[in-house]
């Protein structure tokens, strides 16, 4: 019956359901009855339209049972800029810009488009320059005329390079016109060129002026309307994965030709990144970093004086969150939704709560009595409206139960005058707004060819115009915080959701813009995944589709407290992805992450610890796999614990430093910080093993820092999946400056010094790592002299090293002798705060000077002339459980005992 209603097929009393037992037979039924229908070339991403804030039947009072522990278990993933490799280290995009190219350039008004056009013409490309703001029809006519002479191969979209006025300076008509030029014409262009632009070798490259880091910097977004363009671009990539699709962000500047050249360069290389930023002459992408809320609340204090304005209040999710906020505050709530204020005496609402199935029968009979077609679809449509009223009523009652007050505003968010009147009433009643939560919106999934303009406008405008009308309507009313409901579609883009992604990313960038305008407003943007338990995503095939994509639905108990936790827990606003497993959303777009492994691996004098360059992705960063054989490498063969070869911690540091330095041959490793030796990397049965070294890059002042991890996989006999372990981790600091660790005069040796025979009767190291010639203590410090004529550390012996592993080992072992001598226990490295290296530090004649403290050790390794070679702070160890032989450790105890 639902299918007949959907396709307007007349009822056939002779039809037997048993004759249509499969999906194929049902499809055949539709084709037989409606031969006039045409099948689209590509089906929509989801079968039906879904409404974001449609409530489920459960009452919020039954759902608000999740403790904060449930919300705390959801990772707080923060969109964060990470460095990308130089374009000359990247793979080609497959795009050619030459005589065969036919390119549309939608220009900005600042000259970048004109400069880009000249550069493209020099390459022989044919250009359609659109440097005005045509109507939809006029733009389509120009595109048709240009396409008549040959297929369009690419589009440059530049209007978002123009910085727009602040909201206070705009009226609704001007706001809509700015967004029409930036994103509505982009929709018209890419829908019109959909069949051509999207194949391999074609491209869409948009440009924005968000500040160079897409607004994910402390200063905040510059021209936030560009978020709509970025959101559209990301969603288009999901629909056209074979094309090159990029959103390139720039800082404010008057450069034109330089920006045009950068856009061309980005078109020709790096097919792995969609969001690219340019700042400090470096390339950036947007990744995710996990971060916890502060232990002590640092945001808003919610109490009875708190004032909330909440849109989309008749949605089940919003209703549940409203109830949570009401319980935490008992404040004043202004609830905004399109539906009228619910009538508590409405028999349908009463029946919905007590007998939903009976209500369905009542609606069916009511439709029959009215003469309308009584179909399941019509029943569900009317039931959906009742559900929304019931959710609005549940929110109202939750506020009242918490001792708060409620003011309901039935308003269409697209009606600027009506929203302004409602916000003026908010100001008159409350005089301020502590939390403005814009949660209203809807979502209709359809790919561009099937997404009509009215549908795009509806989905986009409810969020975008709704935001403008709220902010503009509140005027000078103080607003302490804003919370916008975005989605994973806004963060990552999604197939069939160009409008939804555009609107959500627009809200995220306006949230970022709060930081720039200095309004003192805490802005929070939440990129929700689909919710479980409540909401439309719980129905139909969506849970199955999500599971197949590796994406977890968000439990309601975990999601409901998140708004409250975010606005009360942090003083600095920002965007957060809210979800568990993200599956395909965080898969890379290119097998190598967009790099050319050979180009990146082509650096001369590579370390023995840098093996095969695998990829340089957005989420995993640089990945290098290094296979080591303990029968070939001296640093493994001579470093054994209980007979098992173990990767020395100092070679783990070398692996992280050397790998982090690969993409930046112009920089020097100045330090490795926050080193954690989490688990020993063992080579069982002397079999080769591969280290997976991952590095994600960011900036700290003028330095680049690489966040490194050494990962090992091992398949155990009883398991079907390999055991994955993070063995070592640390931050590698890369800088243009050359480090110069301060030296110190080493103390003179004493007659009690321990010799190599006594040292290595206790220590487990073989000849390659018997780095101590002698060790002694005096004046509260331990000292160790480097042994002469040691075997080569590695094979090949002439392979370069970025750090000085055996000089660091000298400090380790000297500290270890102190521990053995003073406590009678042996320990292994567990942490280093910082270790600095002088480039080209040599081993002969070196002496380690180690200063013990209650928290561990500090150390400096000096050369024969007193120059600092290695400086280490915050070195800490963990005691081995095996007791030492007292007779063997006695010489070391004497060496570390100072004279009275």
């Amino acid at each position: 019956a639902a299918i007949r209603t959907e396709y307007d097929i007349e009822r056939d009393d002779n039809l037997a359901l048993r004759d249509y037992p499969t999906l194929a037979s049902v499809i055949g039924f539709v084709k037989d009855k409606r031969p006039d229908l045409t099948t689209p070339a590509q089906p929509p991403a989801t079968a039906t339209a879904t409404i974001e804030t449609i409530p489920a039947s459960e009452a919020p009072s039954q759902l608000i049972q999740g403790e904060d522990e449930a919300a705390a278990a959801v990772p707080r993933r923060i969109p964060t800029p990470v460095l990308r490799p130089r374009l000359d280290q990247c793979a080609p995009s497959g795009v050619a810009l030459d005589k065969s190219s036919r390119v549309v350039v939608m220009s900005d008004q600042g000259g970048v488009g004109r400069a880009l056009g000249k550069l493209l013409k020099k390459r022989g490309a044919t250009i359609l320059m659109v440097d005005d703001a045509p109507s939809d029809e006029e733009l389509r006519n120009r595109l048709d005329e240009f396409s008549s002479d040959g297929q369009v191969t690419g589009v440059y979209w530049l209007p978002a390079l123009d910085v727009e006025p602040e909201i206070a300076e705009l009226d609704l008509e001007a706001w809509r016109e700015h967004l029409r030029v930036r994103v509505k014409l982009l929709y018209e262009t890419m829908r019109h060129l959909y069949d051509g632009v999207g194949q391999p070798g074609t491209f869409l490259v948009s440009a924005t002026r968000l500040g160079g880091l897409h607004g994910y910097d402390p200063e905040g977004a510059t021209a936030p309307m560009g978020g709509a363009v970025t959101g559209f671009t990301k969603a288009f990539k999901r629909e056209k994965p074979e094309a090159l699709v990029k959103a390139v962000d720039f800082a404010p500047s008057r450069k034109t030709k330089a920006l045009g050249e950068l856009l061309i360069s980005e078109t020709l290389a790096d097919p792995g990144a969609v969001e690219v930023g340019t700042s400090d002459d470096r390339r950036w992408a947007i990744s995710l970093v996990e971060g916890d809320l502060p232990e002590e609340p640092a945001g808003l204090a919610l109490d009875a004086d708190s004032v909330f304005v909440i849109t989309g209040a008749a949605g089940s999710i919003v209703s549940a969150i409203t109830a949570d906020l009401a319980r935490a505050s008992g404040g004043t709530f202004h609830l905004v939704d399109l539906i009228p204020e619910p009538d508590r005496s409405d028999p349908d609402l009463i029946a919905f709560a007590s007998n939903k199935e009976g209500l369905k029968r009542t609606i069916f009979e009511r439709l029959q009595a009215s003469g309308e077609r009584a179909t399941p679809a019509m029943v569900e449509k009317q039931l959906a409206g009742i559900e929304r009223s019931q959710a609005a009523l549940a929110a109202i009652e939750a506020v009242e139960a918490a001792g708060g007050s409620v003011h309901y505003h039935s308003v269409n968010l697209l009606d600027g005058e009506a929203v302004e009147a409602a916000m003026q009433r908010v100001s008159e009643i409350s005089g301020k707004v502590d939390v403005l939560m814009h949660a209203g919106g809807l979502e209709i999934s359809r790919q561009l060819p099937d997404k009509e303009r009215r549908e795009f406008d509806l989905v986009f405008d409810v969020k975008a115009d709704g935001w403008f009308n709220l902010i503009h309507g509140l005027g000078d009313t103080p607003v302490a915080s804003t919370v916008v409901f975005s989605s994973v579609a806004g963060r990552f883009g999604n197939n069939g959701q160009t409008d939804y992604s555009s609107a959500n990313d627009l809200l995220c960038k306006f949230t970022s813009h709060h930081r720039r305008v200095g309004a003192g407003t805490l802005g929070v943007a939440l990129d929700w995944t689909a919710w479980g338990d409540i909401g439309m995503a719980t129905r139909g095939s969506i849970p199955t589709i999500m599971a197949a994509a590796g994406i977890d639905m968000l439990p309601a108990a975990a999601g409901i407290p998140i708004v409250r936790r975010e606005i009360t827990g942090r003083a600095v606003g920002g965007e957060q992805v809210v979800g568990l497993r993200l599956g395909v959303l965080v898969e890379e777009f290119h097998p190598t992450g967009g790099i050319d492994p050979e180009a990146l691996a082509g650096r001369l004098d590579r370390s023995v610890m840098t093996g095969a360059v695998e990829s340089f992705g957005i989420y995993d960063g640089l990945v290098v796999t290094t296979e080591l054989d303990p029968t070939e490498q001296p640093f493994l063969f001579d470093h054994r614990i209980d007979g098992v070869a173990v990767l020395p911690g100092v070679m783990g540091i070398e692996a992280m430093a050397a790998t982090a330095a690969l993409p930046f041959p112009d920089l020097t490793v100045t330090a490795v910080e926050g080193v954690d030796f989490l688990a020993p990397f063992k080579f069982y049965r002397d079999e080769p093993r591969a280290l997976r070294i991952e590095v994600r890059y960011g900036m700290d002042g003028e330095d680049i820092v690489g966040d490194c991890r050494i990962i090992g996989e091992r398949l155990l006999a009883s398991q079907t999946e390999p055991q994955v372990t993070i063995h070592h981790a640390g931050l590698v600091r890369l800088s243009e400056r050359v480090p110069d660790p301060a030296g110190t005069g080493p103390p003179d040796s004493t007659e009690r010094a321990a010799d190599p025979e006594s040292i290595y009767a206790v220590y487990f190291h073989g000849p390659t790592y018997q780095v101590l010639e002698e060790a002694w203590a005096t004046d509260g410090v331990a000292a160790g002299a480097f042994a002469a004529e040691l075997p080569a550390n590695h094979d090949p012996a002439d392979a370069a090293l970025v750090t000085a592993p055996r000089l660091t080992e000298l400090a380790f072992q000297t500290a270890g002798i102190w521990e053995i001598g003073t406590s009678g226990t042996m320990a292994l490295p567990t942490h280093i705060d910082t270790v600095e290296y002088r480039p080209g530090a040599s081993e002969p004649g070196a002496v380690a000077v180690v200063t013990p403290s209650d928290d561990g050790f500090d150390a400096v390794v000096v050369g024969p002339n007193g120059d600092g070679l290695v400086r280490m702070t915050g070195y800490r160890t963990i005691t081995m459980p095996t007791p030492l032989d007292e007779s063997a450790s006695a010489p070391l105890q004497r060496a570390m005992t100072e004279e009275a």
Side-chain angles (χ1 to χ4, degrees), residues 664-885:
F664 305 103
D666 55 320
L667 302 180
T668 301
V669 174
T670 60
V672 185
E673 304 166 357
V675 180
D676 287 313
F677 303 105
L678 302 171
F681 196 105
K682 298 181 179 181
F683 294 78
Y684 298 94
R685 297 180 297 277
D686 274 353
E687 295 177 350
R689 284 189 72 188
L691 286 69
R692 176 183 169 94
I693 309 157
E694 297 180 355
V695 189
R696 292 171 47 154
Y697 296 92
M699 296 290 291
D700 182 15
E702 297 181 356
D703 294 343
I704 291 175
V705 289
D707 188 350
C708 305
R709 303 190 303 173
I710 295 179
I711 300 171
E713 292 188 3
R714 182 169 174 245
L715 184 62
L716 303 180
S718 60
Q719 297 179 343
T720 57
E721 296 293 329
Q723 180 185 69
V724 179
T725 303
I726 300 175
H727 292 272
H728 303 333
L731 292 174
V732 176
R733 183 170 295 274
L734 301 161
S735 179
E736 294 181 353
R737 61 186 174 85
V738 177
D740 184 17
T744 183
D748 294 334
S749 179
T750 70
E751 60 182 18
R752 304 182 323 281
D755 59 21
E757 184 177 356
S758 60
I759 293 171
Y760 295 105
V762 177
Y763 268 152
F764 50 80
H765 305 80
T768 303
Y769 269 63
Q770 292 179 358
V771 297
L772 278 169
E773 183 67 33
E774 59 176 345
W776 66 97
T778 183
D779 296 330
V781 300
F786 196 85
E789 299 181 359
L790 289 181
N793 177 73
H794 49 272
D795 182 37
D798 60 350
L801 294 173
V802 174
T803 62
R806 291 199 295 198
L807 292 182
T808 310
E809 181 70 19
L810 180 67
F812 281 10
Q813 292 189 22
T814 303
I817 297 299
W818 171 276
E819 289 184 297
I820 295 171
T822 57
S823 67
T825 60
M826 181 183 288
L828 295 176
T830 184
H831 177 81
I832 307 172
D833 286 347
T834 303
V835 56
E836 295 179 287
Y837 301 95
R838 180 187 294 276
S842 60
E843 299 170 345
V847 177
V849 182
V850 177
T851 304
S853 69
D854 293 339
D855 297 328
F857 302 89
D858 293 339
V860 61
V861 180
V862 297
N865 58 0
D867 290 340
L869 305 178
V870 176
R871 175 170 290 277
M872 186 164 58
T873 62
Y875 172 58
R876 296 193 288 275
T877 61
I878 185 171
T879 302
M880 295 183 67
T882 306
L884 296 176
D885 181 271

Side-chain angles (χ1 to χ4, degrees), residues 6 57 71 105 111 135 174 198 254 257 314 379-380 559 572 622 813 822:
E6 179 70 17
S57 60
V105 178
S135 67
R254 295 185 179 181
K257 182 179 179 181
V379 172
E380 289 296 328
V572 178
L622 173 63
Q813 292 189 22
T822 57

Side-chain angles (χ1 to χ4, degrees), residues 329-571:
S329 66
T332 299
F333 285 75
H334 295 268
L335 303 182
V336 180
D337 204 282
L338 179 62
I339 69 169
E341 183 172 357
D343 179 1
R344 300 173 197 242
S345 63
D346 186 338
D348 285 348
L349 290 181
I350 297 171
F352 183 91
S354 60
N355 185 7
K356 185 176 177 181
E357 291 304 316
L359 177 60
K360 287 183 179 180
R361 289 192 296 272
T362 299
I363 295 173
F364 187 85
E365 293 167 357
R366 190 183 300 160
L367 288 169
Q368 285 185 318
S370 67
E372 295 186 54
R373 296 178 61 188
T375 66
M378 292 296 294
V379 172
E380 289 296 328
K381 182 177 181 181
Q382 290 202 13
L383 190 67
I386 298 170
E387 285 180 319
R388 292 189 62 81
S389 294
Q390 191 274 338
L393 179 58
I396 292 169
E397 291 177 340
V399 173
E400 293 172 343
S405 59
V406 183
H407 303 275
Y408 194 91
H409 308 268
S410 177
V411 174
N412 183 346
L413 289 175
L414 300 179
D415 187 336
E417 292 183 358
V419 175
E420 182 173 2
M423 292 304 101
Q424 287 177 354
R425 185 161 176 251
V426 169
S427 299
E428 292 169 359
I429 295 171
S430 301
K432 65 168 185 173
V433 175
D434 291 291
V435 180
L436 170 61
M437 190 168 85
H438 184 30
L442 54 87
E443 182 274 314
I444 307 172
S445 290
R446 258 190 276 272
Q447 290 188 325
L448 273 178
D450 304 311
K451 189 177 290 291
E452 296 180 359
R453 175 60 181 271
R454 60 179 179 80
E455 183 179 284
F456 187 99
D457 287 350
L458 177 62
V459 172
F460 181 86
D461 293 350
V462 168
K463 281 183 172 285
D465 289 2
W467 171 257
F468 174 86
N469 290 331
L470 290 166
I471 297 297
H472 204 265
L474 285 169
D476 295 331
T477 305
V479 178
S481 70
T482 63
V483 179
V484 298
F485 276 27
S486 178
S487 72
V488 290
R491 170 84 301 274
F492 303 105
N494 198 23
N495 193 351
Q497 294 184 335
T498 48
D499 41 14
Y500 195 57
S501 179
S502 297
N504 281 317
D505 212 9
L506 175 76
L507 296 182
C508 289
K509 298 310 185 283
F510 268 98
T511 298
S512 168
H513 189 61
H514 283 328
R515 302 196 297 272
R516 182 169 290 274
V517 296
T521 300
L522 174 71
V524 175
L526 299 174
D527 301 328
W528 299 105
T529 189
W531 283 52
D533 308 323
I534 55 177
M536 280 294 291
T538 62
R539 304 176 182 182
S541 61
I542 293 178
T544 303
I545 295 171
M546 297 278 286
I551 303 172
D552 291 330
M553 300 184 76
L554 182 68
I560 289 167
I562 282 178
V563 170
R564 169 175 48 81
R565 286 168 54 85
E566 289 298 317
I567 60 178
T568 60
R570 59 174 171 172

Side-chain angles (χ1 to χ4, degrees), residues 34-40:
R34 289 294 307 276
D36 57 307
L37 293 177
T38 57
T39 303

Side-chain angles (χ1 to χ4, degrees), residues 45 86 161 225 245 274 318 551 568 643 650 659 663 705 760 812:
R86 299 193 316 255
L161 289 174
M225 285 188 184
V245 180
V274 176
V318 183
I551 303 172
T568 60
V650 295
T659 302
V705 289
Y760 295 105
F812 281 10

